[in-house]
Amino acid sequence: MLLSIVSGLNESKSNGKDVIKKFSSLCQLLKSLNYDGIELSLLEPEKIDVNKIIEIKDSYEMEIPALGTGSTFIRFGYSFGDTQESIRIKAIERIEKYIEFARETQSKVIIGLIRGRYKYDSSPQKERLNIISSLKECCWLAENSNVQLLFEPINRFEIDSYNTISQSVELIEEIGSNNLKLLVDSFHTYLEEDTANIWDYLKEIAHNVGHIHLADTTRRAPGSGHFDFKTFLNIFKDLGYAEFFSVETIMNPSFEVIAKNSAKYLRTIL
Ligand code: LER
Ligand code: MN
């Protein structure tokens, strides 16, 4: 089981040296806890010395399986669905920066919160069409750079579009790009999917899955709530899933404690 955990690097606020220092100490800690990678949640990847990052990750034999892009919407307010064309274009331009970084680090790029929220004074149909055409443009950029995009269904309390796995699979099939895969997040699965048939459905669509996020029912460390991780993880294991499982939780009481407890619990299952 390839295991990673999500962390930021604070690249927008720190100087370059501190970013590299932070990445290096993360690698050291996570290697000692038997992790295989670090998923990076970034805001401005172009501010990071990517060659140094590669040098460090290689020296620890760690991977950067994916890059999170949601802060583009949270911090900059740029989104795929925005009805203001200039804002929508800014969102795509930001994704281009992530793709450039991902091409070097051999990471995948997540399309989640960057879809944005529907505005109260606009039409959902219009925003949905914008999301689709933005995604198509990003697929084209990803294809040219040989980078994979990961489309993440996110629960209805955080976002207005593509809350369920089936809606997302339908979209991925409609777009039909070899560089667009599905990201399944256990927390959103728990909130949005029908417990009666979710396990069978996951078996059906597992071949579309390029990355997995793990958090328990309260978005704390796996094993701290009542999500059925045994069944969930074994579905993918039995079907030969060879991509990463990435812990993405509220880092409380601390990143170290979550990283330690999650690895201990998850390694007992797989
Ligand atoms: C991002 O991966 C995610 O799961 C969202 O809920 C953002 O917090
Ligand atoms: Mn997630």
Side-chain angles (χ1 to χ4, degrees), residues 15 29 78 83 109 115 170 190 212-213 269:
N15 70 42
L29 169 74
Y78 304 153
T83 43
V109 175
R115 299 198 287 281
E170 213 174 284
Y190 172 77
I212 291 174
H213 278 164
I269 298 180

Side-chain angles (χ1 to χ4, degrees), residues 113 152 154 158 185 188 213 219 248:
L113 289 179
E152 180 175 25
I154 291 179
E158 293 185 61
D185 182 318
H188 304 309
H213 278 164
R219 210 155 202 180
E248 185 195 44

Side-chain angles (χ1 to χ4, degrees), residues 108 148-153 165-166 168-169 172-173 178-186 189 198 201-214 232-233 235-237 239-246:
K108 302 174 183 180
Q148 220 169 67
L149 300 183
L150 297 164
F151 191 87
E152 180 175 25
I165 296 174
S166 60
S168 306
V169 168
I172 289 170
E173 282 170 358
N178 286 334
N179 294 55
L180 183 61
K181 287 275 187 184
L182 181 71
L183 191 171
V184 173
D185 182 318
S186 60
T189 301
I198 183 59
Y201 183 60
L202 283 177
K203 285 177 200 159
E204 244 175 69
I205 56 90
H207 61 279
N208 281 303
V209 177
H211 193 64
I212 291 174
H213 278 164
L214 301 176
F232 180 77
L233 296 173
I235 285 172
F236 293 98
K237 185 187 169 193
L239 292 170
Y241 173 81
E243 308 301 324
F244 267 80
F245 294 94
S246 201

Side-chain angles (χ1 to χ4, degrees), residues 29 34 103 149 157 159 181 217 219:
L29 169 74
N34 205 11
R103 185 182 54 212
L149 300 183
F157 307 108
I159 206 169
K181 287 275 187 184
T217 44
R219 210 155 202 180

Side-chain angles (χ1 to χ4, degrees), residues 54-86:
I54 293 168
E55 202 179 291
I56 294 163
K57 88 173 174 65
D58 288 350
S59 74
Y60 283 97
E61 294 180 329
M62 292 287 273
E63 290 185 50
I64 302 173
L67 305 180
T69 62
S71 51
T72 303
F73 177 59
I74 296 167
R75 302 271 293 277
F76 289 148
Y78 304 153
S79 74
F80 280 10
D82 207 298
T83 43
Q84 219 177 306
E85 185 65 1
S86 59

